[in-house]
Amino acid sequence: MTDSPGIFDSGSAGGHGVPGPVAFVLGGGGVRGAVEVGMIRALLEAGITPDLVVGTSIGAINGAVLASDPTMAAVEQLTRTWTSEDANAVFGDAVTRQLHRLVTTRTHLISPEPLRRLLVAALGPDPVFEDLAVPLRVVAASIERAAEHWFSTGPLIEAVLASASVPGLLPPTRIGGEHFMDGGIVNSIPIEAAVRAGAGTVYVLQVGRVEEPLAVPASALATARVAFEIARRHRFARDLATLPEGVRLHVLPSGGSLEGDDRPLAFRRMDTVHRRIDRAYEASLGYLAGVVA
């Protein structure tokens, strides 16, 4: 078993049938999460819709929009969201303003307000999980409990903000008396949650990092990046290796990384959004043509 895109079948389903229910699992990955829009389009065009959506970090944002309306309208909304001024303010704010914010707050580069506005524009002012068209579960990392925390009921926007609070970029999100950081810290591609919820078929929408081999680092920066990637990927590999009998899992291809994706400021590259969406769409469409009867 490898981390490459493909089918991971525990062996009891047989053929290309689709054991249900169907879960879409959307992983984290910052601006690279634009690929998930292309994957969603390919899935919906293939006639595959979710009975459950599970997301972390940027996958929680994309997943919330999808769960609110799991039709091609979600693709249109996500495309508008990713190309909006608020999205540019989240990722592409001026470096001078970000550095000033870091000096002022001592904790983060990016204001959470553009992200909040983006979510309100896409989901409405006061959405709750219970009003979504399909169930949604999003994960965040609790600071006080040093543990993953799952949101599936109640106010939606705060939960998604919590899941997407990337350390150093955004401040922790406070909900009640607890503070939360990015869900990718504890569960970057949350397959296990979909399986626990009873999914028989799981489609993994990942941003491409698990497709890329790791090399022995030759610098301090590369060492930090590789260490983070090992921490990010080990649970994904474990979930693949321990997939319960009867569950079929598809890892959709991202279309590949772009030049510069390994650079420190790659998270600011909003000019790459359309390329990422289109490449992931074409790659996923080709993959699904080979596995969907």
Side-chain angles (χ1 to χ4, degrees), residues 137-149:
R137 300 183 181 191
V138 302
V139 63
S142 166
I143 294 176
E144 285 81 2
R145 292 183 290 109
E148 69 181 43
H149 179 89

Side-chain angles (χ1 to χ4, degrees), residues 161-211:
L161 281 170
S163 184
S165 293
V166 182
L169 295 184
L170 288 159
T173 298
R174 180 173 180 172
I175 299 177
E178 201 166 357
H179 298 80
F180 297 94
M181 286 184 170
D182 191 279
I185 298 171
V186 289
N187 208 334
S188 183
I189 304 176
I191 295 169
E192 184 183 11
V195 173
R196 285 201 314 266
T201 301
V202 179
Y203 290 92
V204 173
L205 288 67
Q206 50 82 37
V207 304
R209 289 193 176 100
V210 298
E211 302 169 11

